[in-house]
Amino acid sequence: MIELRQLTKRYGEAAVVDGLTFDVRPGVVTGFLGPNGAGKSSTMRMILGLDRPTSGSATIGGRRYAGLPVPLREVGALLDAHAVHPRRTAFDHLLSLAYANGIGRRRVEEVLGLVGLADVAGRRPGGFSLGMKQRLGIAVALLGDPPVVLLDEPVNGLDPEGIRWIRTLTRSLAAEGRTVLVSSHLMSEMALTADHLVVIGRGRLIADIGLEAFVHSAAPQAVLVRTPDAPRLASLLWDAGAAVRPGAGDGLTVTGMSSAEVGGLAGAHGIVLHELTPWRASLEEAYLELTGDSVEFTASPAGVAS
Amino acid sequence: MTAYGVLRAEWVKFRSIRAMLGCLAGAVAAAGAYGYLFGMTAARDYLAAPAADRAAFDPTETAFRALVLAGVLVSAAGALTVTSEYAAGTMPVSVTAVPRRGLLLAGKGAVVALATFLIGPPLALLSFALSQAALAARGVPSAGFGDPGVPGALLGAGLFMGLVGLYGLALGFLLRRSAGAVSLGTFLLILPGMAGLFPEAVARWIVTWWPSAAGARLFAVHAGTEGLAPLAGAGVLTATVLGLLCAAAAVFHRRDA
C-alpha cells in the first residue's frame, strides 16, 4: 500500500505536484493518468525518495522509502528504460543492484529468464532495442520480488507485442496480490490494464475512482436506434420519459432509457428496428473531458491564434 | 543493504566501465614514459653541469616526478565512477537501490580509494625504474630500490594515488559531468607545474602549499630543505580531499537524484 498525503513539490513558485492525497491499494492495477507534464513522474520520484517533497509525505507500508532496510525487496520501480550504462552488460547491471540489496546471482539469472533476456545477459545494452531495454528495466523492478511495483510509462514506444507483454505482466502482478502503480498518458492503454484510476492534471488530483465508475461518471449512457419509423418511435420515447435527439440518417440517440427498454417499447408497438446499440462515451472522451482544463500546452485552431 | 553489499555492488560497476581501464592503463603509460623522459633530462643536465653542482646531484629527485602526471589519469578514473552514472542516467537507479546516499558515496569512495591506492606503488616502481635506467644508460649516478627512503616513497605513492582518486570522485559528485570534472581536476592537479608563470612569492606559496604539490612530498625520497615534510604535505592533501568529500556528500544528500 502506497499512501500520499498532501504531497507537494515546488520549483520556486511553480508547483509540479500540488497537494496530492491518495492511496494505492494492493491486488489491483492502479492506473496513474494525466497529460504530459501533469506531475506523474515527479510523484513517482518522490515516492522513491529521489526527489525531496516541498511538503507532505509519501509512504510505503507506513514507511518512507529512504527508511526501508532493503528497498528492492519492498519496492520495484521502472522509471526510465534508457537508464542503463551502454557498456555494462545486462547481467552486471542487475548484479550490481542485486548485491547492494543482498540478493544473489541466482535471482539475477531468474529475472533475466522471467523477462526473456536470458540469451543476451552477457551483452551490452548499448545495442538493445527499446523493447529490450524496457524488459531490462522490468527485470530491475522485479529483482527483489517486491510487493509494491511502480512502472512509469512502461509501454511508451513499445511495439504491439511488447505492449501486450507489459499488459499481461502488470495484470498478473496485481493478481498475485501486489500493489501496482502504472503511469500513462494514454487512457486507451489504462482501460485495458487498470482496475482503478488516479487522474491528475497540473499536479492536482482530478479523480481517484474505479475504472467503471470513471466511465459512468464522465458521460451519460445513451442508446443508438435506427428505424424506418423514426418520428413515431421518437414520440413514443418522449412519452415514456426518455430524451431523444436525431442521430445520423434515420437514427435516434436516446438517453435516460436502457437499450432493453427501448427495444421493448418498439416491440410493443410493432415498430421495426434496424439497429439498437447501447453507447457510451469512449474512455478517451471521458478522460479528455476531465483533463481538458489541465493540459499544459494546447494547440489553438489554425487561423484563430491571436 | 549492508556496507559489504554496497561495496560489492560498486566493485561490479567499477570493473564494468571500459573507460576506467583506459584511464588506469594511461596512468601506467604516463608513469613509464614521463619517468623515462624526466630521467633523460636529468642526465643531460648532469652532464652539462660543472663539477661542483654534480656533487649535489640527487638521482631520486626526478624518479617520481611523473607521478603527478599519472595522477591526472587516476583522478579522471575517480571522477568517472560518478560522472558515468550521471551520463548514463543510472544515478536514480543506484539511489533507489541504496537510498542512504552517504552509504552509496562511501561505497564508491572505498572502491576508488582501494583500486587507486593499489595502483600507486606499481606506478611509482615503473617511474623509478625507467628514470634510473635513463640515468644509468648515460653513466650518470642512479639510485636502487633498496636505497634509504625509496621503499617509503613507494608506499607514499600509493597513498598519494588513493587520495587523488578520491579527489576525482569528489569532483565528480560536485560537477556531475565528465568533461567538467576531468578538466577542472587536471588543471588543479598540474597547477604547481605552472608556478613559474606567477610572481615569485605566489609561486613559492604554490609549490609549497598547493595540495597536489604538498601531497607530492609523500613520495619524496629525501626530506630536503625545501617544501613541507612528507607527513605535513600528506596532511595538506588529505585535508583538502576530506573537505571536497564533505562538500560532495552534502551536495549529493541535498540534491534531487
Side-chain angles (χ1 to χ4, degrees):
Chain A
M1 173 109 138
I2 307 171
E3 292 167 299
L4 273 62
R5 293 293 174 268
Q6 290 299 318
L7 191 69
T8 302
K9 177 75 175 179
R10 287 176 192 284
Y11 293 102
E13 281 297 293
V16 178
V17 176
D18 196 356
L20 277 189
T21 297
F22 64 85
D23 294 343
V24 184
R25 276 173 288 276
V28 292
V29 175
T30 301
F32 193 24
L33 267 168
N36 288 330
K40 301 184 297 289
S41 296
S42 293
T43 303
M44 287 187 151
R45 289 175 54 86
M46 283 191 280
I47 295 172
L48 294 168
L50 293 170
D51 290 357
R52 203 176 289 271
T54 310
S55 62
S57 69
T59 54
I60 296 144
R63 284 173 301 175
R64 286 192 318 116
Y65 186 92
L68 300 174
V70 190
L72 296 189
R73 288 196 188 278
E74 313 249 1
V75 184
L78 165 68
L79 286 186
D80 175 8
H82 294 288
V84 284
H85 193 281
R87 309 204 60 113
R88 183 177 298 133
T89 64
F91 186 83
D92 279 347
H93 178 64
L94 288 166
L95 188 67
S96 71
L97 297 165
Y99 276 166
N101 279 252
I103 298 163
R105 275 171 176 274
R106 187 183 297 171
R107 178 63 187 166
V108 171
E109 284 160 13
E110 211 172 276
V111 286
L112 278 166
L114 206 67
V115 301
L117 291 181
D119 293 343
V120 294
R123 280 191 18 208
R124 302 175 201 282
F128 281 12
S129 67
L130 178 59
M132 290 162 84
K133 284 185 181 171
Q134 209 87 6
R135 282 168 188 266
L136 183 54
I138 297 277
V140 172
L142 299 182
L143 198 54
D145 197 14
V148 176
V149 179
L150 276 70
L151 308 174
D152 193 7
E153 303 272 3
V155 300
N156 247 10
L158 288 190
D159 56 17
E161 138 74 46
I163 291 176
R164 201 177 54 178
W165 179 70
I166 299 264
R167 214 178 270 160
T168 314
L169 180 82
T170 43
R171 302 260 9 128
S172 68
L173 289 172
E176 289 161 16
R178 296 178 215 256
T179 304
V180 184
L181 182 64
V182 183
S183 82
S184 177
H185 59 277
L186 297 174
M187 182 64 227
S188 51
E189 183 51 41
M190 286 298 98
L192 293 165
T193 336
D195 308 294
H196 192 88
L197 295 177
V198 171
V199 184
I200 66 170
R202 295 197 178 175
R204 295 201 182 151
L205 189 68
I206 293 177
D208 178 0
I209 193 171
L211 187 69
E212 282 300 311
F214 171 70
V215 175
H216 287 282
S217 74
Q221 292 218 23
V223 178
L224 296 179
V225 56
R226 280 199 315 123
T227 168
D229 206 359
R232 193 166 147 241
L233 181 61
S235 71
L236 284 167
L237 288 164
W238 272 116
D239 294 343
V244 184
R245 285 180 290 119
D250 53 358
L252 299 170
T253 304
V254 185
T255 49
M257 201 179 260
S258 73
S259 54
E261 288 167 327
V262 174
L265 191 69
H269 292 83
I271 297 172
V272 176
L273 296 185
H274 291 168
E275 185 185 339
L276 180 66
T277 314
W279 178 90
R280 62 189 192 195
S282 74
L283 290 167
E284 215 67 67
E285 284 168 292
Y287 171 57
L288 286 174
E289 191 171 303
L290 261 180
T291 59
D293 296 336
S294 61
V295 287
E296 240 188 347
F297 304 100
T298 322
S300 49
V304 192
S306 51
Chain B
M1 203 173 64
T2 59
Y4 174 64
V6 173
L7 211 57
R8 285 178 86 188
E10 289 304 322
W11 170 245
V12 171
K13 289 188 208 165
F14 185 87
R15 67 161 165 71
S16 57
I17 297 175
R18 173 82 69 81
M20 206 67 70
L21 202 68
C23 279
L24 298 180
V28 171
Y34 284 109
Y36 186 74
L37 291 172
F38 282 131
M40 295 266 284
T41 312
R44 204 175 316 131
D45 290 350
Y46 176 87
L47 294 172
D53 288 355
R54 287 188 180 187
F57 180 73
D58 176 4
T60 65
E61 204 188 304
T62 51
F64 299 119
R65 202 170 278 173
L67 290 188
V68 176
L69 294 168
V72 163
L73 288 143
V74 169
S75 90
L80 276 174
T81 57
V82 183
T83 56
S84 70
E85 289 231 35
Y86 282 112
T90 54
M91 194 54 102
V93 186
S94 295
V95 173
T96 48
V98 185
R100 282 168 58 197
R101 299 185 189 188
L103 185 62
L104 183 61
L105 185 143
K108 279 193 189 302
V111 167
V112 166
L114 191 68
T116 55
F117 171 77
L118 289 177
I119 199 179
L123 291 176
L125 216 59
L126 186 66
S127 165
F128 183 87
L130 289 181
S131 69
Q132 300 310 304
L135 292 173
R138 299 210 166 184
V140 175
S142 60
F145 292 123
D147 288 8
V150 173
L154 293 177
L155 183 68
L159 283 174
F160 178 80
M161 290 304 169
L163 287 167
V164 165
L166 286 176
Y167 154 86
L169 172 110
L171 287 180
F173 272 109
L174 290 169
L175 299 177
R176 287 185 282 184
R177 308 228 182 262
S178 303
V182 170
S183 52
L184 181 68
T186 302
F187 173 76
L188 295 178
L189 268 181
I190 63 173
L191 185 74
M194 297 178 275
L197 301 171
F198 294 92
E200 206 197 320
V202 180
R204 189 176 300 278
W205 184 87
I206 290 177
V207 297
T208 311
W209 290 100
W210 193 257
S212 59
R217 301 294 296 158
L218 270 167
F219 41 79
V221 176
H222 304 300
T225 50
E226 284 187 20
L228 300 170
L231 278 181
V236 170
L237 181 60
T238 306
T240 308
V241 170
L242 281 179
L244 286 171
L245 283 173
C246 287
V251 166
F252 186 49
H253 185 75
R254 216 190 45 223
R255 212 161 33 195
D256 289 340

